[in-house]
Coordinates of all heavy atoms in Angstrom, one line a residue:
M854 N 47.8 85.8 81.5 CA 47.5 86.9 82.4 C 48.8 87.6 82.7 O 49.8 87.0 83.1 CB 46.8 86.4 83.7 CG 46.3 87.4 84.5 SD 45.6 86.8 86.0 CE 44.1 86.2 85.7
S855 N 48.8 88.9 82.5 CA 50.1 89.7 82.8 C 50.3 89.8 84.3 O 49.5 89.6 85.1 CB 50.0 91.1 82.2 OG 49.0 91.8 82.9
V856 N 51.5 90.2 84.5 CA 52.0 90.3 86.0 C 51.2 91.4 86.7 O 50.7 91.1 87.8 CB 53.5 90.6 86.1 CG1 53.9 90.9 87.5 CG2 54.3 89.5 85.4
K857 N 51.0 92.4 86.0 CA 50.1 93.5 86.5 C 48.8 93.2 86.9 O 48.2 93.4 87.9 CB 50.2 94.8 85.6 CG 49.6 96.0 86.1 CD 49.7 97.1 85.2 CE 49.1 98.4 85.7 NZ 49.2 99.5 84.8
T858 N 48.1 92.3 86.0 CA 46.8 91.8 86.2 C 46.7 90.8 87.3 O 45.8 90.9 88.2 CB 46.2 91.2 84.9 OG1 46.4 92.1 83.7 CG2 44.7 90.8 85.0
K859 N 47.7 90.0 87.5 CA 47.7 89.1 88.6 C 47.8 89.8 89.9 O 47.2 89.5 90.8 CB 49.0 88.1 88.4 CG 48.7 86.9 87.6 CD 49.9 85.9 87.5 CE 49.6 84.8 86.7 NZ 50.8 83.9 86.8
K860 N 48.7 90.8 89.9 CA 48.9 91.5 91.2 C 47.6 92.2 91.5 O 47.3 92.3 92.8 CB 50.1 92.6 91.0 CG 50.4 93.2 92.3 CD 51.8 93.8 92.1 CE 52.2 94.6 93.4 NZ 52.8 93.8 94.4
K861 N 47.0 92.8 90.6 CA 45.7 93.5 90.9 C 44.7 92.6 91.4 O 43.9 92.9 92.4 CB 45.3 94.2 89.6 CG 44.0 95.1 89.8 CD 43.6 95.7 88.5 CE 42.4 96.6 88.6 NZ 42.0 97.2 87.3
A862 N 44.6 91.4 90.8 CA 43.6 90.4 91.3 C 44.0 89.9 92.7 O 43.0 89.8 93.5 CB 43.6 89.2 90.3
E863 N 45.2 89.8 93.0 CA 45.6 89.3 94.3 C 45.2 90.4 95.3 O 44.8 90.1 96.4 CB 47.1 89.0 94.4 CG 47.5 87.8 93.6 CD 49.0 87.6 93.6 OE1 49.7 88.3 94.3 OE2 49.5 86.7 92.9
L864 N 45.4 91.7 94.9 CA 45.2 92.8 95.8 C 43.6 92.9 96.1 O 43.2 93.1 97.2 CB 45.7 94.1 95.1 CG 45.8 95.2 96.1 CD1 47.0 95.0 97.1 CD2 46.3 96.5 95.2
N865 N 42.9 92.7 95.1 CA 41.5 92.6 95.2 C 40.9 91.6 96.2 O 40.1 91.8 97.0 CB 40.7 92.5 93.8 CG 40.8 93.8 93.1 OD1 40.9 94.9 93.6 ND2 40.6 93.7 91.8
E866 N 41.5 90.4 96.0 CA 41.1 89.3 96.9 C 41.6 89.5 98.3 O 40.9 89.2 99.2 CB 41.8 88.0 96.3 CG 41.2 87.4 95.1 CD 39.6 87.2 95.2 OE1 39.2 86.7 96.3 OE2 39.0 87.4 94.2
E867 N 42.7 90.1 98.4 CA 43.1 90.6 99.9 C 42.1 91.5 100.5 O 41.8 91.3 101.7 CB 44.5 91.1 99.8 CG 45.7 90.3 100.0 CD 46.9 91.2 100.1 OE1 47.0 92.3 100.6 OE2 47.9 90.7 99.4
K868 N 41.7 92.4 99.7 CA 40.7 93.5 100.3 C 39.4 92.7 100.5 O 38.9 93.1 101.6 CB 40.5 94.6 99.3 CG 41.7 95.5 99.2 CD 41.4 96.4 98.0 CE 42.7 97.3 97.6 NZ 42.6 98.3 96.5
I869 N 39.0 91.8 99.8 CA 37.7 91.1 100.0 C 37.9 90.3 101.3 O 37.0 90.2 102.1 CB 37.4 90.2 98.8 CG1 36.9 91.2 97.7 CG2 36.3 89.3 99.2 CD1 36.6 90.5 96.4
V870 N 39.0 89.6 101.4 CA 39.3 88.8 102.7 C 39.3 89.7 104.0 O 38.7 89.3 105.0 CB 40.5 88.1 102.5 CG1 41.0 87.4 103.9 CG2 40.5 86.9 101.5
K871 N 39.9 90.8 103.9 CA 39.9 91.8 105.0 C 38.5 92.2 105.4 O 38.1 92.4 106.6 CB 40.7 93.0 104.8 CG 42.2 92.7 104.7 CD 43.1 93.9 104.5 CE 44.6 93.6 104.4 NZ 45.3 94.8 104.1
A872 N 37.6 92.5 104.3 CA 36.3 93.0 104.6 C 35.5 91.9 105.1 O 34.7 92.0 106.0 CB 35.7 93.4 103.2
M873 N 35.7 90.6 104.8 CA 35.0 89.4 105.3 C 35.4 89.3 106.7 O 34.5 88.9 107.6 CB 35.4 88.1 104.6 CG 34.9 88.0 103.2 SD 33.2 87.6 103.1 CE 33.2 85.9 103.7
D874 N 36.6 89.6 107.1 CA 37.0 89.5 108.6 C 36.2 90.4 109.4 O 35.8 90.2 110.5 CB 38.5 89.7 108.7 CG 39.3 88.5 108.2 OD1 38.7 87.4 108.0 OD2 40.5 88.7 107.9
I875 N 36.2 91.7 108.9 CA 35.3 92.8 109.5 C 33.9 92.3 109.7 O 33.3 92.6 110.7 CB 35.6 94.1 108.8 CG1 36.9 94.6 108.9 CG2 34.5 95.1 109.4 CD1 37.2 95.8 107.9
L876 N 33.3 91.8 108.6 CA 31.9 91.4 108.7 C 31.7 90.2 109.6 O 30.6 90.1 110.3 CB 31.5 91.0 107.3 CG 31.4 92.0 106.2 CD1 31.0 91.4 104.9 CD2 30.6 93.2 106.5
K877 N 32.6 89.3 109.9 CA 32.6 88.2 110.8 C 32.5 88.9 112.2 O 31.7 88.3 113.1 CB 33.7 87.3 110.7 CG 33.7 86.4 109.5 CD 34.8 85.6 109.4 CE 34.8 84.8 108.1 NZ 36.1 84.1 107.8
L878 N 33.2 90.0 112.4 CA 33.3 90.7 113.8 C 31.9 91.2 114.0 O 31.3 91.1 115.2 CB 34.3 91.8 113.8 CG 35.8 91.4 113.9 CD1 36.7 92.5 113.9 CD2 36.0 90.7 115.3
I879 N 31.3 91.8 113.0 CA 30.0 92.4 113.2 C 28.9 91.3 113.5 O 28.0 91.5 114.4 CB 29.5 93.2 111.9 CG1 30.6 94.3 111.7 CG2 28.2 93.8 112.1 CD1 30.5 95.0 110.4
Q880 N 29.0 90.3 112.8 CA 28.1 89.2 112.9 C 28.2 88.5 114.3 O 27.2 88.0 114.9 CB 28.2 88.1 111.9 CG 26.9 87.4 111.6 CD 26.9 86.8 110.2 OE1 27.9 86.4 109.7 NE2 25.7 86.5 109.8
A881 N 29.3 88.4 114.8 CA 29.6 87.8 116.1 C 29.2 88.7 117.3 O 29.0 88.2 118.4 CB 31.1 87.5 116.4
D882 N 29.0 90.0 117.1 CA 28.7 90.9 118.2 C 27.2 90.7 118.5 O 26.2 90.8 117.6 CB 28.8 92.4 117.7 CG 28.7 93.4 118.7 OD1 28.4 93.0 119.8 OD2 28.9 94.5 118.5
V883 N 27.0 90.4 119.8 CA 25.6 90.1 120.2 C 24.7 91.4 120.2 O 23.5 91.3 120.3 CB 25.6 89.5 121.6 CG1 26.2 88.1 121.6 CG2 26.3 90.4 122.7
A884 N 25.3 92.5 120.1 CA 24.5 93.8 120.2 C 24.0 94.1 118.8 O 23.1 95.1 118.6 CB 25.4 94.9 120.6
T885 N 24.5 93.4 117.8 CA 24.0 93.6 116.4 C 22.5 93.1 116.2 O 22.4 92.0 116.5 CB 24.9 93.0 115.4 OG1 26.3 93.5 115.5 CG2 24.6 93.3 113.9
P886 N 21.7 94.0 115.7 CA 20.3 93.5 115.5 C 20.2 92.3 114.5 O 21.0 92.2 113.6 CB 19.6 94.7 114.9 CG 20.3 95.8 115.3 CD 21.7 95.4 115.4
K887 N 19.2 91.5 114.7 CA 19.0 90.2 113.8 C 18.9 90.7 112.3 O 19.3 90.1 111.4 CB 17.8 89.5 114.2 CG 17.9 88.1 114.0 CD 16.6 87.4 114.4 CE 16.9 86.8 115.8 NZ 15.9 86.0 116.4
S888 N 18.2 91.7 112.1 CA 18.0 92.2 110.7 C 19.3 92.6 109.9 O 19.5 92.3 108.8 CB 16.9 93.4 110.6 OG 17.5 94.5 111.4
V889 N 20.2 93.2 110.8 CA 21.5 93.6 110.2 C 22.3 92.3 110.0 O 23.1 92.2 109.0 CB 22.1 94.7 111.2 CG1 23.5 94.9 110.7 CG2 21.4 95.9 111.2
R890 N 22.3 91.5 110.9 CA 23.0 90.2 110.8 C 22.6 89.5 109.5 O 23.5 88.9 108.9 CB 22.8 89.3 112.0 CG 23.6 89.6 113.2 CD 23.5 88.5 114.2 NE 23.8 89.2 115.5 CZ 23.5 88.7 116.7 NH1 22.8 87.5 116.7 NH2 23.7 89.3 117.8
K891 N 21.4 89.5 109.2 CA 20.9 88.9 108.0 C 21.5 89.5 106.7 O 21.9 88.8 105.8 CB 19.4 88.9 107.9 CG 18.8 88.2 106.7 CD 17.3 88.2 106.8 CE 16.7 87.5 105.6 NZ 16.2 88.5 104.6
L892 N 21.6 90.8 106.7 CA 22.1 91.5 105.6 C 23.6 91.3 105.5 O 24.2 91.2 104.4 CB 21.8 93.0 105.7 CG 20.4 93.4 105.5 CD1 20.1 94.8 105.8 CD2 20.0 93.2 104.0
I893 N 24.3 91.3 106.7 CA 25.7 90.9 106.7 C 26.1 89.6 106.1 O 26.9 89.4 105.4 CB 26.3 91.1 108.1 CG1 26.1 92.5 108.7 CG2 27.7 90.6 108.2 CD1 27.0 93.5 108.1
K894 N 25.1 88.6 106.5 CA 25.3 87.2 106.0 C 25.1 87.2 104.4 O 26.0 86.5 103.8 CB 24.3 86.3 106.7 CG 24.3 85.0 106.1 CD 25.6 84.2 106.6 CE 25.4 82.7 106.2 NZ 26.6 82.2 105.3
E895 N 24.1 88.0 104.0 CA 23.9 88.1 102.5 C 25.1 88.7 101.8 O 25.6 88.2 100.7 CB 22.7 88.8 102.2 CG 21.4 88.1 102.6 CD 20.2 89.0 102.3 OE1 20.2 89.8 101.4 OE2 19.2 88.7 102.9
A896 N 25.7 89.7 102.4 CA 26.9 90.3 101.9 C 28.1 89.4 101.9 O 28.8 89.3 100.9 CB 27.3 91.5 102.7
Q897 N 28.2 88.6 102.9 CA 29.3 87.6 103.0 C 29.1 86.6 101.8 O 30.1 86.2 101.2 CB 29.3 86.9 104.3 CG 29.9 87.8 105.4 CD 29.8 87.1 106.9 OE1 28.8 86.4 107.0 NE2 30.8 87.3 107.6
D898 N 27.9 86.1 101.7 CA 27.6 85.1 100.7 C 27.9 85.7 99.3 O 28.4 85.0 98.4 CB 26.1 84.7 100.7 CG 25.7 83.8 102.0 OD1 26.7 83.4 102.6 OD2 24.5 83.8 102.3
S899 N 27.6 86.9 99.1 CA 27.9 87.6 97.8 C 29.4 87.7 97.5 O 29.9 87.6 96.4 CB 27.2 88.9 97.5 OG 27.8 89.9 98.3
L900 N 30.1 87.9 98.6 CA 31.6 88.1 98.4 C 32.4 86.7 98.2 O 33.5 86.7 97.6 CB 32.3 88.7 99.7 CG 32.0 90.2 99.9 CD1 32.5 90.6 101.4 CD2 32.6 91.0 98.8
V901 N 31.8 85.5 98.5 CA 32.5 84.4 98.4 C 32.1 83.7 97.0 O 32.7 82.7 96.7 CB 32.3 83.4 99.5 CG1 32.9 83.8 100.8 CG2 30.7 83.1 99.6
K902 N 31.2 84.3 96.3 CA 30.9 83.7 94.9 C 32.1 83.8 94.0 O 32.3 84.9 93.4 CB 29.6 84.4 94.4 CG 28.4 84.1 95.0 CD 27.2 84.7 94.4 CE 25.9 84.5 95.2 NZ 24.9 85.3 94.7
K903 N 32.7 82.7 93.7 CA 33.9 82.8 92.9 C 33.6 82.8 91.4 O 34.5 83.1 90.6 CB 34.9 81.6 93.1 CG 35.4 81.6 94.5 CD 36.4 82.8 94.7 CE 37.0 82.7 96.1 NZ 37.9 83.7 96.3
D904 N 32.3 82.6 91.1 CA 32.1 82.7 89.6 C 31.8 84.1 89.2 O 31.7 84.4 87.9 CB 30.7 81.9 89.4 CG 29.6 82.3 90.2 OD1 29.8 82.8 91.3 OD2 28.4 82.1 89.8
L905 N 31.8 85.1 90.0 CA 31.7 86.5 89.7 C 33.1 87.2 89.8 O 33.9 86.8 90.6 CB 30.7 87.2 90.5 CG 29.2 86.6 90.4 CD1 28.4 87.3 91.5 CD2 28.7 86.8 89.1
S906 N 33.2 88.3 89.0 CA 34.4 89.0 89.2 C 34.5 89.8 90.7 O 33.4 90.1 91.2 CB 34.6 90.1 88.1 OG 33.6 91.2 88.3
P907 N 35.6 90.0 91.1 CA 35.8 90.9 92.4 C 35.0 92.1 92.4 O 34.4 92.4 93.4 CB 37.2 91.1 92.6 CG 37.9 89.9 91.7 CD 37.0 89.8 90.5
G908 N 35.0 92.8 91.3 CA 34.2 94.0 91.3 C 32.8 93.9 91.5 O 32.1 94.7 92.2
V909 N 32.3 93.0 90.8 CA 30.8 92.6 91.0 C 30.4 92.1 92.3 O 29.4 92.5 92.9 CB 30.3 91.6 90.0 CG1 28.9 91.1 90.1 CG2 30.6 92.2 88.5
R910 N 31.3 91.3 92.9 CA 31.1 90.8 94.3 C 31.1 91.8 95.2 O 30.2 91.9 96.1 CB 32.1 89.7 94.6 CG 31.9 88.4 93.8 CD 32.9 87.4 94.3 NE 34.2 87.8 94.0 CZ 35.3 87.2 94.5 NH1 35.3 86.2 95.5 NH2 36.6 87.6 94.2
A911 N 32.0 92.8 95.1 CA 32.2 94.0 96.0 C 31.0 94.9 95.9 O 30.4 95.4 96.8 CB 33.5 94.7 95.8
A912 N 30.6 95.2 94.6 CA 29.4 96.0 94.4 C 28.2 95.5 95.0 O 27.4 96.3 95.7 CB 29.2 96.3 92.9
S913 N 27.9 94.1 94.9 CA 26.7 93.5 95.5 C 26.8 93.7 97.1 O 25.8 93.9 97.6 CB 26.7 92.1 95.1 OG 25.6 91.4 95.8
A914 N 27.9 93.4 97.6 CA 28.2 93.6 99.1 C 27.9 94.9 99.6 O 27.3 95.2 100.6 CB 29.5 93.0 99.4
I915 N 28.4 95.9 98.8 CA 28.3 97.4 99.1 C 26.8 97.7 99.3 O 26.5 98.4 100.2 CB 29.1 98.2 98.2 CG1 30.6 98.0 98.3 CG2 28.6 99.6 98.2 CD1 31.4 98.8 97.2
Q916 N 26.0 97.3 98.2 CA 24.5 97.6 98.3 C 24.0 97.1 99.5 O 23.2 97.8 100.2 CB 24.0 97.0 97.1 CG 22.5 97.3 96.9 CD 21.9 96.8 95.6 OE1 22.6 96.0 95.0 NE2 20.7 97.1 95.3
L917 N 24.3 95.9 99.9 CA 23.7 95.2 101.2 C 24.2 95.9 102.4 O 23.4 96.1 103.3 CB 24.0 93.8 101.2 CG 23.3 92.8 100.2 CD1 24.0 91.5 100.0 CD2 21.8 92.7 100.5
L918 N 25.5 96.2 102.5 CA 26.0 97.0 103.6 C 25.5 98.3 103.8 O 25.2 98.8 104.9 CB 27.5 96.9 103.6 CG 28.2 95.6 103.7 CD1 29.7 95.8 103.5 CD2 27.9 94.9 105.0
E919 N 25.2 99.0 102.7 CA 24.6 100.4 102.9 C 23.2 100.2 103.3 O 22.7 101.1 104.2 CB 24.7 101.1 101.4 CG 26.1 101.6 101.1 CD 26.2 102.2 99.8 OE1 25.2 102.1 99.0 OE2 27.1 102.8 99.5
E920 N 22.6 99.2 103.0 CA 21.1 99.0 103.5 C 21.3 98.7 105.0 O 20.4 99.2 105.7 CB 20.5 97.8 102.8 CG 19.1 97.7 103.1 CD 18.5 96.5 102.3 OE1 18.9 96.1 101.2 OE2 17.5 95.8 102.8
A921 N 22.2 97.9 105.3 CA 22.4 97.5 106.8 C 22.7 98.7 107.6 O 22.3 98.9 108.8 CB 23.4 96.5 107.0
N922 N 23.4 99.7 107.1 CA 23.9 100.8 107.7 C 22.8 101.8 108.0 O 22.9 102.6 108.9 CB 25.0 101.4 106.9 CG 25.9 102.3 107.7 OD1 26.2 102.1 108.9 ND2 26.5 103.4 107.1
Q923 N 21.7 101.6 107.4 CA 20.5 102.5 107.6 C 19.7 102.2 108.8 O 18.8 102.8 109.2 CB 19.6 102.5 106.4 CG 20.3 103.0 105.1 CD 20.8 104.5 105.3 OE1 20.1 105.3 105.8 NE2 22.0 104.7 104.8
D924 N 19.9 101.0 109.4 CA 19.1 100.5 110.6 C 19.4 101.5 111.6 O 20.5 101.7 112.2 CB 19.6 99.1 110.9 CG 18.6 98.5 111.9 OD1 18.2 99.0 112.9 OD2 18.2 97.4 111.7
P925 N 18.3 102.0 112.2 CA 18.4 103.0 113.3 C 18.9 102.2 114.7 O 19.4 102.9 115.5 CB 17.0 103.6 113.5 CG 16.1 102.6 112.9 CD 16.9 101.8 111.8
N926 N 18.8 101.0 114.8 CA 19.0 100.3 116.1 C 20.4 99.8 116.0 O 21.0 99.2 117.0 CB 18.1 99.1 116.2 CG 16.7 99.5 116.4 OD1 16.5 100.6 117.0 ND2 15.8 98.7 115.8
L927 N 21.2 100.1 114.9 CA 22.6 99.6 114.8 C 23.5 100.3 115.8 O 23.6 101.5 115.8 CB 23.1 99.8 113.3 CG 24.4 99.2 113.0 CD1 24.3 97.7 113.0 CD2 24.7 99.7 111.6
P928 N 24.3 99.5 116.7 CA 25.2 100.2 117.6 C 26.3 100.9 116.8 O 26.7 100.5 115.7 CB 25.8 99.0 118.3 CG 24.9 97.9 118.2 CD 24.3 98.1 116.7
M929 N 26.9 102.0 117.4 CA 27.9 102.8 116.8 C 29.1 102.0 116.3 O 29.7 102.1 115.4 CB 28.3 103.9 117.7 CG 29.0 105.1 116.9 SD 27.9 105.4 115.5 CE 28.2 107.1 115.4
L930 N 29.6 101.0 117.2 CA 30.7 100.2 116.9 C 30.5 99.4 115.6 O 31.3 99.3 114.7 CB 31.1 99.2 118.1 CG 32.2 98.3 117.8 CD1 33.5 99.1 117.5 CD2 32.4 97.4 119.0
S931 N 29.3 98.8 115.5 CA 28.9 98.0 114.2 C 28.9 98.9 113.0 O 29.4 98.5 111.9 CB 27.7 97.3 114.5 OG 27.7 96.3 115.5
R932 N 28.3 100.1 113.2 CA 28.3 101.0 112.2 C 29.6 101.5 111.6 O 29.8 101.5 110.5 CB 27.4 102.3 112.6 CG 27.1 103.3 111.6 CD 26.2 104.4 112.0 NE 25.1 104.1 112.8 CZ 23.9 103.7 112.2 NH1 23.8 103.7 110.9 NH2 22.9 103.4 113.1
T933 N 30.5 101.6 112.6 CA 31.9 102.1 112.2 C 32.6 100.9 111.5 O 33.4 101.0 110.6 CB 32.7 102.4 113.5 OG1 32.0 103.5 114.1 CG2 34.1 102.8 113.1
R934 N 32.3 99.7 112.0 CA 32.9 98.5 111.2 C 32.4 98.3 109.9 O 33.1 97.9 108.9 CB 32.7 97.2 112.1 CG 33.6 97.2 113.4 CD 33.3 95.9 114.1 NE 34.3 95.8 115.2 CZ 34.1 95.1 116.3 NH1 33.0 94.4 116.5 NH2 34.9 95.0 117.2
I935 N 31.1 98.7 109.7 CA 30.5 98.5 108.3 C 31.2 99.6 107.4 O 31.5 99.3 106.3 CB 29.0 98.8 108.4 CG1 28.3 97.5 109.0 CG2 28.4 99.1 107.0 CD1 26.8 97.7 109.2
W936 N 31.3 100.9 108.0 CA 32.1 101.8 107.2 C 33.5 101.4 106.9 O 33.9 101.6 105.6 CB 32.2 103.1 107.9 CG 30.9 103.8 108.2 CD1 29.7 103.8 107.5 CD2 30.5 104.8 109.2 NE1 28.7 104.6 108.0 CE2 29.3 105.2 109.0 CE3 31.3 105.3 110.3 CZ2 28.6 106.1 109.9 CZ3 30.7 106.2 111.2 CH2 29.3 106.6 110.9
N937 N 34.1 100.7 107.7 CA 35.5 100.2 107.3 C 35.4 99.3 106.3 O 36.3 99.2 105.3 CB 36.2 99.6 108.7 CG 36.6 100.5 109.6 OD1 36.7 101.8 109.3 ND2 36.8 100.1 110.9
A938 N 34.5 98.3 106.3 CA 34.4 97.2 105.3 C 33.9 97.9 103.9 O 34.4 97.5 102.9 CB 33.3 96.2 105.7
L939 N 33.1 99.0 104.0 CA 32.7 99.6 102.8 C 33.8 100.3 102.2 O 33.9 100.2 100.9 CB 31.5 100.7 103.2 CG 30.1 100.2 103.3 CD1 29.1 101.2 104.0 CD2 29.6 99.7 102.0
S940 N 34.6 101.0 103.0 CA 35.8 101.7 102.4 C 36.8 100.7 101.7 O 37.2 101.1 100.7 CB 36.5 102.6 103.3 OG 36.7 102.1 104.6
L941 N 36.9 99.6 102.2 CA 37.8 98.5 101.7 C 37.2 98.1 100.4 O 37.9 98.0 99.3 CB 37.9 97.3 102.6 CG 39.1 97.3 103.5 CD1 38.9 96.1 104.3 CD2 40.3 97.2 102.8
L942 N 35.9 97.8 100.4 CA 35.3 97.2 99.2 C 35.1 98.1 98.0 O 35.1 97.9 96.9 CB 33.9 96.6 99.6 CG 33.8 95.4 100.5 CD1 32.4 95.0 100.9 CD2 34.5 94.2 99.7
E943 N 35.0 99.5 98.4 CA 34.9 100.5 97.4 C 36.2 100.7 96.5 O 36.1 101.2 95.4 CB 34.5 101.8 98.0 CG 33.0 101.8 98.4 CD 32.7 103.1 99.2 OE1 33.6 103.9 99.6 OE2 31.4 103.3 99.4
T944 N 37.3 100.2 97.0 CA 38.5 100.2 96.3 C 38.8 99.1 95.3 O 39.7 99.0 94.6 CB 39.7 100.4 97.3 OG1 39.8 99.2 98.1 CG2 39.6 101.7 98.1
V945 N 37.9 98.0 95.5 CA 38.0 96.9 94.6 C 37.4 97.2 93.3 O 36.2 97.5 93.1 CB 37.2 95.7 95.2 CG1 37.3 94.4 94.3 CG2 37.8 95.3 96.6
K946 N 38.3 97.1 92.2 CA 37.8 97.4 90.9 C 38.2 96.3 89.9 O 39.3 95.6 90.1 CB 38.4 98.7 90.4 CG 38.3 99.9 91.2 CD 36.9 100.4 91.0 CE 36.7 101.8 91.9 NZ 35.4 101.9 92.4
D947 N 37.5 96.0 89.0 CA 37.9 95.0 88.0 C 38.9 95.6 86.9 O 39.1 96.7 86.7 CB 36.6 94.5 87.1 CG 35.8 93.7 88.0 OD1 36.3 93.0 88.9 OD2 34.6 93.6 87.7

């Protein structure tokens, strides 16, 4: 593995870890609806699957987070945090 590829992989993993931290905040918030928490948990589960590439894990989580973002009962703070996590995950490429 070249130095450039290693650095890219490390950067992708860093972004995934930061997104996971944001998702933990959303899940810990008592104002977050249960249906959204379930989707957040699924997104977290897809991000920790080490058998898939970072890009595939991020794409799977993005899909779930976009679905969670459509919930009309989602508080604005949680919505903003989801947007932050989405923008981080959208930069993860294979």
Side-chain angles (χ1 to χ4, degrees):
M854 191 184 283
S855 71
V856 174
K857 188 176 181 181
T858 309
K859 274 187 182 178
K860 186 160 176 87
K861 185 177 179 181
E863 288 174 11
L864 199 61
N865 282 341
E866 288 301 324
E867 261 182 51
K868 291 175 185 176
I869 288 174
V870 168
K871 286 179 184 176
M873 288 285 292
D874 290 342
I875 294 170
L876 296 179
K877 286 177 188 170
L878 285 174
I879 299 168
Q880 206 164 23
D882 187 357
V883 294
T885 305
K887 207 179 266 189
S888 59
V889 173
R890 283 191 199 158
K891 183 176 181 257
L892 289 169
I893 297 292
K894 175 71 174 124
E895 289 176 28
Q897 287 174 319
D898 291 344
S899 69
L900 285 174
V901 295
K902 290 182 182 174
K903 294 293 183 182
D904 57 331
L905 300 173
S906 71
V909 173
R910 292 185 291 164
S913 176
I915 286 170
Q916 184 179 9
L917 291 163
L918 292 176
E919 285 177 346
E920 186 179 337
N922 205 28
Q923 299 300 316
D924 191 307
N926 299 322
L927 189 64
M929 199 50 148
L930 178 61
S931 296
R932 190 176 308 275
T933 305
R934 286 178 174 161
I935 287 176
W936 290 337
N937 289 339
L939 280 170
S940 46
L941 265 174
L942 292 173
E943 286 171 349
T944 62
V945 174
K946 305 284 185 219
D947 285 333

